[in-house]
Amino acid sequence: MIPLPSHPGLSQGIRNLKGVGQQIEKALYERGLRTVGDLVTLMPSRYQDRRRLVPLNELVPESEVLTGGVIQDTRQGVVPKTYRRYFEIILYDEDAQVSAIWFRLPAHLRETTSKGRRVILFGRVQSYRHRLSIVHPELVPWPDGYLPEAEVRPVYPEIEDVKPGALRRIMAEVNRQLASLPAIFPHAWLMEKKLSDPVECLRILHQPPADRPGPLPKPQDSKAWANMALFELLFLQLALARSRARQAVREGLAFPERSVLAETFLSGLPFELTEGQRSALGEIGRDMAAAKPMSRLLQGDVGSGKTVVALAAAMTAVDGGRQAAIMAPTEILARQHFETLLPHARRLGVEADLLVGGLPEAEKAARRSALASGRTRIVVGTHALISESVEYESLGLAVIDEQHRFGVGQRLALRAKAAQADMLVMTATPIPRTLALTIYGDLDISTIAGMPPGRKPVRTEVFGPEERVAAYSLLAAEVAAGGQAYVVAPRIESRDESVDGNGDDLASAMDLLDYVRREGAPGAPAALVHGRMKPDERQTVMDDFRRGDIRILVATTVIEVGVDVPGASVMLVEGADHFGLAQLHQLRGRVGRGERPSLCLLVAGTDEAESSSRLRVMAGTSDGFELAEEDLKIRGPGDAAGLRQSGLPGLTWARLPRDLEMLLKARELAREIIDNDRELAEPSFKLVREVVDELDRRIQAELAEAG
Ligand code: ADP
Ligand code: MG
């Protein structure tokens, strides 16, 4: 949804509109429609073509028409079998006829529907027993010599408690307000790009002209809609391009190109960096050495080894006399990173600390002050790191791990904490290029190609609901042979209604723990971890699992991102059809990190062919990018990992990946505009700037919601 420039007509509450009383106001509020500007973006779902009165002899089944004639006969009857009473009128004009049928005739129609009257009908023509009929048509008298006005009538989505006719009249009023709005883009620019202004497009979408001949497209297929899709993407790209351009001129910190501390850190690791890690680190190092703030996305498939790259960058920042902050989406992950870091930090004499929400208040205060005084050089934490009470003495590098779990707002907030700092965001959700362009238009992208050596491919097998015993016996055998296992459940507790088998039958983590202990793998130490446990309990369980004291960890998706326990060699996912491919890929990435050949067992909750074929895609490839593209195809952009969590306002007109070409065009147009006029300061772009400013504000506001 793109905002419109501020305008008194649009910012007023809907109550000021003719036809909106208390009840309708309430109903629209519940839909999030509060201002006239909000209503402007409520799109018709279709149009009724009332441009022409269609003669009876031109009626064809399945068309929606305005037609008319003289009532030749009326009948009442009862439908055989169903005993439904009906009322029928038969119209004729010269050589053709049609019947109109009502199963309940509105009282006011009784008088209009007597024989010999001329009437106009509007409705959908059906063919029933070789006769054309219209069920429940609209009917109005048709006096001689009178011709109805040509009209294209928008039909809006149904809103509870608002009658369609009332909504239509309100929307007509909204459209009148739109008419008083100036164009957003300068005329010359629109001419050059051969585009019509968004305001014009919106007016046409709400009320297509009735005087144009030819077929009437659906709203989504109309030219005006396509234009709006382009503008929607253009505004997003303008916001991103402007942020990128502002970044480019900002004075940043120049860190040394070679950092002894980072090199000492790397040489203390038990392994060599892979080629992919080395080249990504090279790009990061060059960015950090340049005197402008880095904004870089580090993409790398699950397990490609992003953490050490981030830690090396943090050491570089510390070497340059600055602090580094590493932000993770969950406490489990923040603690894990901290534990990875700690021995190295000690070895190198670097003061490191952990800051997460779960700590006692006094403890948090102490850690915050160590950060503010500059004693702490590297801090690892959750989004607590960007809370207002956190101050840094001299933040030089901000790392955001698993960026897709945070909103764009959080990225911008961290950026705002230290405008000069370098920023590295990391993601293992391989975002298809299509989406990467939308979400990360303001970032440079590095990709870690390849995996650390010695990784054994994870064997993936799909099981139907009746085959779960077989899945568990594979799991039990692997655990007996010295492996460790995750069992992932779609939810924590069973729902009451599913006790009697009437609810959905998603396995719950609690029930699964029971099952694992009794039947699945009796005798193996098993425990539970989920998001509603206290952080320290959760940590104890994770530690026990990491040490190998617990052999089977039953979990919800709290373990989805980033968790790294090399001893784990089996991942069993219950209700696997319930997860997206990208998510399953993340889960599968928890195993295959150690010496043992690993297994991923996907147990479907249903027998549906569609879900099992989707799961088989998992078995067919271990390439996260390939899966992400598949996921996008299957689930659409709204649900595919990344976009919904990206913090971008939902799209109303554009559809990805369908509109990829348009996205590329929008990006090009945006860069061209921003290259000429970074701040959109030109007077003719004043309204464009207003929209982009508002969009920025909305993206930022996302922060408040996500936090
Ligand atoms: P991700 O990219 O998914 O965040 P991690 O950073 O958690 O991956 O790394 C996964 C595992 O691979 C960790 O146990 C890490 O120590 C190990 N690892 C990272 N780089 C290498 C390497 N070059 N050689 C061998 N093992 C590595
Ligand atoms: Mg990671």
Side-chain angles (χ1 to χ4, degrees):
M1 191 199 268
I2 56 167
L4 291 163
S6 63
H7 181 272
L10 296 181
S11 54
Q12 62 179 325
I14 52 176
R15 191 61 187 272
N16 295 331
L17 288 171
K18 220 168 93 195
V20 179
Q22 203 176 354
Q23 194 192 341
I24 291 184
E25 182 184 41
K26 186 162 164 270
L28 294 177
Y29 263 43
E30 262 154 37
R31 277 288 206 107
L33 303 166
R34 288 158 186 271
T35 63
V36 175
D38 292 338
L39 280 179
V40 166
T41 60
L42 180 69
M43 286 288 108
S45 44
R46 58 190 198 92
Y47 301 119
Q48 290 179 347
D49 189 351
R50 298 168 181 253
R51 289 176 299 177
R52 190 170 84 95
L53 195 71
V54 182
L56 293 182
N57 61 3
E58 285 179 28
L59 297 186
V60 286
E62 292 316 310
S63 58
E64 197 184 42
V65 290
L66 193 67
T67 188
V70 177
I71 300 181
Q72 183 186 42
D73 204 359
T74 68
R75 285 202 268 272
Q76 294 193 46
V78 173
V79 184
K81 286 191 193 147
T82 64
Y83 301 106
R84 253 179 120 185
R85 296 171 57 80
Y86 68 88
F87 178 81
E88 181 179 16
I89 65 175
I90 294 150
L91 294 195
Y92 73 97
D93 82 7
E94 290 156 32
D95 53 350
Q97 67 171 42
V98 67
S99 74
I101 297 173
W102 286 266
F103 291 98
R104 31 192 156 74
L105 182 68
H108 71 274
L109 285 185
R110 285 190 192 279
E111 22 194 286
T112 349
T113 52
S114 52
K115 261 192 223 175
R117 290 260 179 132
R118 265 162 56 95
V119 291
I120 290 178
L121 302 180
F122 181 84
R124 184 168 298 280
V125 179
Q126 298 174 0
S127 166
Y128 180 67
R129 295 196 177 152
H130 309 296
R131 281 178 39 198
L132 294 180
S133 56
I134 306 180
V135 177
H136 291 175
E138 262 173 55
L139 180 148
V140 289
W142 185 15
D144 269 331
Y146 164 85
L147 258 189
E149 201 181 321
E151 184 193 355
V152 173
R153 189 178 282 187
V155 179
Y156 290 91
E158 265 177 49
I159 293 183
E160 213 177 319
D161 292 332
V162 186
K163 293 213 179 75
L167 182 59
R168 194 175 65 243
R169 282 187 292 277
I170 292 165
M171 293 306 294
E173 188 62 34
V174 167
N175 212 21
R176 269 191 285 281
Q177 305 271 357
L178 259 184
S180 65
L181 212 67
I184 299 176
F185 285 86
H187 184 70
W189 186 87
L190 290 168
M191 290 296 281
E192 186 195 320
K193 304 297 175 198
K194 299 193 175 61
L195 292 167
S196 355
D197 192 74
V199 172
E200 176 67 17
C201 297
L202 285 169
R203 291 186 52 197
I204 292 176
L205 282 166
H206 284 293
Q207 185 55 72
D211 55 5
R212 280 193 210 153
L216 189 66
K218 294 197 188 99
Q220 306 88 296
D221 299 335
S222 67
K223 217 176 135 208
W225 187 288
N227 249 312
M228 281 309 291
L230 176 69
F231 282 117
E232 186 169 41
L233 296 168
L234 176 59
F235 282 119
L236 279 171
Q237 293 300 323
L238 280 170
L240 294 173
R242 187 175 66 174
S243 144
R244 185 190 168 87
R246 282 178 177 170
Q247 222 40 57
V249 295
R250 201 161 278 158
E251 197 60 20
L253 308 164
F255 290 105
E257 176 92 52
R258 274 183 57 112
S259 157
V260 177
L261 196 61
E263 277 162 21
T264 319
F265 163 73
L266 290 173
S267 60
L269 291 172
F271 48 73
E272 296 273 308
L273 288 190
T274 64
E275 203 41 54
Q277 286 170 313
R278 223 193 309 276
S279 87
L281 192 56
E283 286 170 348
I284 294 165
R286 277 190 290 282
D287 275 6
M288 289 182 74
K292 72 169 227 200
M294 167 171 79
S295 294
R296 186 168 284 277
L297 172 72
L298 178 59
Q299 280 198 85
D301 209 344
V302 186
S304 59
K306 293 180 291 295
T307 316
V308 289
V309 173
L311 294 181
M315 293 299 173
T316 305
V318 172
D319 217 7
R322 295 281 173 154
Q323 294 170 295
I326 300 173
M327 188 161 99
T330 63
E331 234 175 278
I332 289 183
L333 194 51
R335 284 176 192 272
Q336 176 184 296
H337 286 339
F338 182 64
E339 260 136 49
T340 306
L341 166 65
L342 201 55
H344 299 289
R346 292 219 172 102
R347 171 165 65 86
L348 302 168
V350 172
E351 202 61 48
D353 209 349
L354 176 74
L355 190 58
V356 290
L359 295 168
E361 219 28 72
E363 187 57 40
K364 273 192 282 194
R367 293 185 186 195
R368 279 197 298 264
S369 75
L371 205 52
S373 72
R375 196 163 67 83
T376 299
R377 305 314 295 169
I378 302 180
V379 65
V380 183
T382 52
H383 60 260
L385 291 187
I386 49 169
S387 85
E388 283 187 7
S389 50
V390 175
E391 274 173 47
Y392 297 85
E393 179 237 2
S394 59
L395 187 61
L397 174 74
V399 178
I400 305 182
D401 193 17
E402 306 295 350
Q403 144 74 28
H404 60 284
R405 285 304 193 94
F406 294 103
V408 175
Q410 274 152 320
R411 181 164 96 223
L412 297 180
L414 192 56
R415 163 59 73 209
K417 281 246 166 228
Q420 285 192 304
D422 286 326
M423 187 162 77
L424 178 66
V425 306
M426 309 200 290
T427 183
T429 295
I431 307 236
R433 249 203 102 59
T434 6
L435 293 185
L437 287 178
T438 348
I439 305 173
Y440 301 120
D442 59 331
L443 303 178
D444 297 310
I445 300 182
S446 294
T447 305
I448 299 187
M451 287 285 170
R455 286 285 162 78
K456 302 187 180 72
V458 179
R459 197 173 92 226
T460 301
E461 290 189 30
V462 180
F463 298 84
E466 287 84 36
E467 299 166 318
R468 58 198 287 257
V469 174
Y472 277 92
S473 63
L474 283 174
L475 176 144
E478 173 58 21
V479 171
Q484 283 178 279
Y486 296 101
V487 174
V488 172
R491 67 157 63 118
I492 301 177
E493 279 177 284
S494 55
R495 290 219 181 128
D496 289 346
E497 67 264 37
S498 59
V499 172
D500 56 17
N502 286 332
D504 60 42
D505 23 296
L506 286 181
S508 80
M510 291 183 183
D511 293 345
L512 280 179
L513 178 64
D514 227 42
Y515 175 77
V516 165
R517 283 180 173 154
R518 276 189 297 110
E519 292 170 50
L528 187 66
V529 67
H530 60 72
R532 272 195 255 141
M533 282 161 76
K534 292 217 187 73
D536 51 337
E537 287 173 48
R538 204 160 43 188
Q539 194 55 38
T540 312
V541 175
M542 286 308 296
D543 289 345
D544 290 350
F545 186 62
R546 203 179 298 278
R547 264 200 314 273
D549 296 347
I550 289 171
R551 308 305 296 177
I552 303 177
L553 188 65
V554 180
T556 55
T557 50
V558 288
I559 57 133
E560 176 187 331
V561 290
V563 169
D564 182 38
V565 179
S569 52
V570 186
M571 164 64 64
L572 186 151
V573 183
E574 285 266 4
D577 47 322
H578 211 72
F579 297 99
L581 293 181
Q583 213 178 356
L584 289 173
H585 181 63
Q586 287 283 328
L587 287 168
R588 180 168 63 182
R590 300 307 121 223
V591 297
R593 295 173 167 241
E595 292 301 308
R596 303 185 61 84
S598 294
L599 260 181
C600 174
L601 310 169
L602 303 175
V603 182
T606 69
D607 270 331
E608 281 156 38
E610 180 216 356
S611 70
S612 80
S613 78
R614 200 162 64 86
L615 294 181
R616 266 172 239 293
V617 174
M618 283 294 297
T621 178
S622 56
D623 181 331
F625 282 89
E626 210 176 305
L627 284 170
E629 296 284 359
E630 282 298 319
D631 211 25
L632 189 65
K633 270 191 232 146
I634 297 171
R635 311 221 294 178
D639 277 333
L643 191 60
R644 200 176 31 185
Q645 295 151 330
S646 67
L648 281 183
L651 300 171
T652 303
W653 294 277
R655 290 280 173 274
L656 295 169
R658 186 193 72 184
D659 294 333
L660 174 62
E661 287 296 312
M662 213 176 255
L663 173 60
L664 296 174
K665 182 170 174 201
R667 188 169 144 104
E668 195 184 304
L669 289 173
R671 295 230 160 144
E672 186 187 297
I673 294 172
I674 296 295
D675 280 350
N676 287 328
D677 178 12
R678 202 182 67 237
E679 286 299 324
L680 298 167
E682 250 186 62
S684 63
F685 274 82
K686 177 170 172 291
L687 294 179
V688 177
R689 191 183 67 231
E690 270 185 28
V691 174
V692 176
D693 285 348
E694 175 60 23
L695 193 60
D696 256 354
R697 262 194 298 280
R698 289 195 191 179
I699 293 174
Q700 303 262 15
E702 167 81 11
L703 167 69
E705 254 170 64

